């Protein structure tokens, strides 16, 4: 066969993460045009092409991957797209040190998570790699967790459950609050915030929100939500404050001493976004002073090493960052990642990128923020 007759190489997609919730029918259709293989964590990390014998990167953590990923790429060829699914915490952070071996072949990295603070998006952009998170896949599951924690702290569920389990029954239990008629203050009105607003309205709560951009009148009506132009104004009006914004340089420590001081005395506080958005020392002070009555936390600053106060206080309901950990959220996340990858490999642009990547006038991958 002459060089002109050589068939083009099929794009190669590697996915890291759990395969337990694979959407097999969708993946089967997808594999007719792209080579797709999974790389499950905490077992030998398998990255292979269909044409080659299995290429096994025997890595169970970041340190091993840093050593063995370059050799794997050299042996089995370039990876066009990387899908980072669930269960990949052992490899974080996803930064230049880990990802550089993917250059120059990799065109897109897609994450099944909504938050992306563990990804060095600035480096990817400079390297000419598109990056996508999932915008809708985990939103409703996370909003469900925010509503669950809201009900748990409003109804003082932790102490009630502990009494039932310990045999003390209702000792020390006083009448709790009703969510009906309360004001839910949502900080961050993206997909999660919008789902939460509709759920709060179902419990007859009033909904106010603070966001970088105001929603359209139609969107506000659909969410039954009223815009508040300043964060402190929202905090002063809310009976329950729910954090639903992404972690960025601008939102790190967004909620600290001044913000807790601006809240209603006895307000309730819920965080299902990222731990570092909240100054944990300031939250503890607010709980101890009574400014915050109770807090429901699914995220923490130093996960999985939770501050001992949160683990032992009667005033805190804790869950281990499981807001998006549902079977359907995993499936939706995988589908959204693969849709972004397929669009990028077919058209040069993913469906919903976080960054912007272009080719410069010399045809070499370049980027712009």
């Amino acid at each position: 066969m002459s060089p002109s007759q050589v068939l083009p190489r099929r794009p190669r997609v590697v996915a890291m993460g759990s395969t337990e919730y694979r959407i097999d029918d969708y993946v089967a259709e997808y594999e007719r045009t792209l080579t797709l293989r999974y790389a499950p964590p905490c077992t030998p990390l398998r990255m292979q092409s269909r044409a080659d014998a299995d290429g096994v990167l025997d890595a169970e953590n970041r340190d091993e991957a840093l050593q063995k990923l370059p050799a794997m790429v050299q042996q089995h060829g370039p990876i066009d797209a990387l899908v980072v699914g669930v269960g990949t915490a052992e490899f974080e952070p996803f930064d230049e040190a880990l990802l550089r071996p993917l250059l120059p072949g990799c065109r897109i990295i897609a994450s099944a998570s909504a938050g992306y603070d563990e990804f060095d998006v600035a480096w990817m952009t400079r390297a000419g790699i598109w990056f996508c998170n999932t915008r809708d896949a985990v939103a409703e599951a996370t909003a469900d967790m925010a509503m669950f924690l809201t009900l748990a702290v409003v109804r003082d569920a932790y102490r009630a459950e502990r009494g039932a389990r310990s045999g003390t029954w209702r000792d020390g239990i006083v009448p709790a609050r009703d969510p009906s008629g309360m004001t839910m203050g949502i900080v961050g009105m993206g997909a999660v915030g919008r789902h939460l607003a509709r759920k709060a309205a179902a419990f007859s709560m009033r909904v106010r929100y603070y966001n970088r951009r105001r929603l359209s009148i139609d969107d506000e009506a659909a969410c039954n939500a009223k815009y508040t132009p300043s964060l402190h104004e929202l905090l002063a009006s809310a009976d329950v404050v729910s954090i639903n914004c992404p972690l960025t340089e601008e939102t790190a420590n967004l909620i600290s001493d001044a913000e807790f001081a601006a809240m209603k005395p006895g307000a309730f506080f819920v965080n299902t976004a990222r731990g570092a958005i909240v100054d944990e020392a300031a939250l503890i002070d607010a709980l101890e002073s009574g400014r915050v009555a109770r807090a429901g936390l699914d995220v923490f600053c130093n996960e999985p090493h939770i501050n001992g106060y949160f683990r032992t206080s009667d005033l805190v309901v804790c869950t281990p960052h499981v807001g998006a950990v549902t079977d359907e959220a995993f499936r939706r996340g995988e589908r959204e990642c693969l849709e972004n990858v397929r669009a990028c490999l077919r058209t040069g642009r993913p469906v919903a990128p976080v960054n912007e990547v272009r080719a410069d006038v010399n045809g070499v991958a370049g980027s712009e923020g």
Side-chain angles (χ1 to χ4, degrees), residues 223-235:
C223 296
N224 195 31
K226 180 178 180 181
Y227 177 66
T228 304
S230 78
L231 174 60
H232 280 218
E233 183 179 341
L234 177 79
L235 299 176

Side-chain angles (χ1 to χ4, degrees), residues 23-52:
I23 42 176
D24 290 323
D25 54 343
Y26 186 77
V27 170
E29 187 276 332
Y30 191 94
E31 286 187 313
R32 283 198 284 270
T33 56
L34 299 172
T35 297
L36 175 64
R37 285 293 181 267
Y38 278 81
C42 300
T43 58
L45 180 60
R46 304 172 66 85
M47 294 185 172
Q48 62 200 41
S49 72
R50 180 171 296 177
D52 297 326

Side-chain angles (χ1 to χ4, degrees), residues 56-322:
V56 176
L57 180 65
D58 186 16
E60 297 185 1
N61 55 54
R62 177 181 171 83
D63 289 341
E64 293 183 8
L66 285 167
Q67 296 177 20
K68 298 179 181 179
L69 179 59
M72 183 278 300
V73 174
Q74 183 177 13
Q75 180 180 358
H76 294 284
I79 294 171
D80 298 271
L82 178 67
V83 173
V84 180
V86 297
T88 53
E90 295 85 358
F91 300 97
E92 295 176 4
F94 291 91
D95 57 5
E96 178 179 4
L98 180 64
L99 301 174
R100 176 165 284 280
L102 299 176
L103 296 180
C106 187
R107 296 159 62 185
I108 178 173
I109 296 173
S111 168
S113 298
Y116 51 88
D117 49 289
E118 66 270 32
F119 291 87
D120 190 343
V121 180
W123 176 80
M124 294 181 208
T125 306
R126 293 193 299 271
I129 299 174
W130 293 95
F131 176 74
C132 301
N133 65 338
T134 54
R135 302 197 174 179
D136 298 311
V138 302
E140 186 157 17
T142 304
D144 286 343
M145 179 58 70
M147 197 67 228
F148 165 80
L149 289 173
T150 295
L151 297 174
V153 295
V154 168
R155 293 299 303 268
D156 201 5
Y158 172 73
R159 287 195 286 192
E161 182 186 24
R162 188 183 62 181
R165 289 181 181 275
S166 68
T168 60
W169 200 234
R170 294 182 184 173
D171 287 358
I173 298 294
V174 299
R177 299 279 303 279
D178 288 305
S180 178
M182 282 186 165
T183 296
M184 167 74 81
I186 298 175
V187 180
M189 203 63 163
V192 176
R194 295 183 198 195
H195 279 296
L196 177 58
R198 289 188 284 268
K199 294 174 191 297
F203 284 89
S204 300
M205 300 180 77
R206 295 185 294 268
V207 179
R208 294 189 177 185
Y209 74 97
Y210 169 73
N211 200 50
R212 288 181 301 171
R213 301 180 188 87
R214 183 172 183 174
L215 302 183
S216 70
I217 294 175
D218 289 344
D219 284 341
E220 286 185 348
C223 296
N224 195 31
K226 180 178 180 181
Y227 177 66
T228 304
S230 78
L231 174 60
H232 280 218
E233 183 179 341
L234 177 79
L235 299 176
S237 67
D239 299 293
V240 180
V241 174
S242 179
I243 305 302
N244 300 105
C245 58
L247 175 61
T248 65
E249 291 182 1
E250 291 74 23
T251 62
N253 268 5
L254 178 70
I255 308 298
S256 190
D257 292 298
E259 287 67 41
F260 286 116
M263 292 182 191
K264 284 184 176 182
F268 300 93
F269 185 78
V270 172
N271 187 9
T272 56
R274 285 293 189 269
I277 296 172
V278 179
D279 180 342
E280 290 188 341
L283 172 56
I284 292 170
D285 288 343
L287 287 163
E288 286 295 289
S289 71
R291 173 64 65 171
V292 171
R294 284 183 288 276
L297 306 175
D298 186 48
V299 290
F300 305 87
C301 284
N302 193 28
E303 299 174 5
H305 307 292
I306 301 175
N307 186 301
Y309 179 91
F310 299 136
R311 289 190 290 107
T312 59
S313 174
D314 289 347
L315 305 177
V316 182
V317 177
C318 297
T319 51
H321 202 154
V322 292

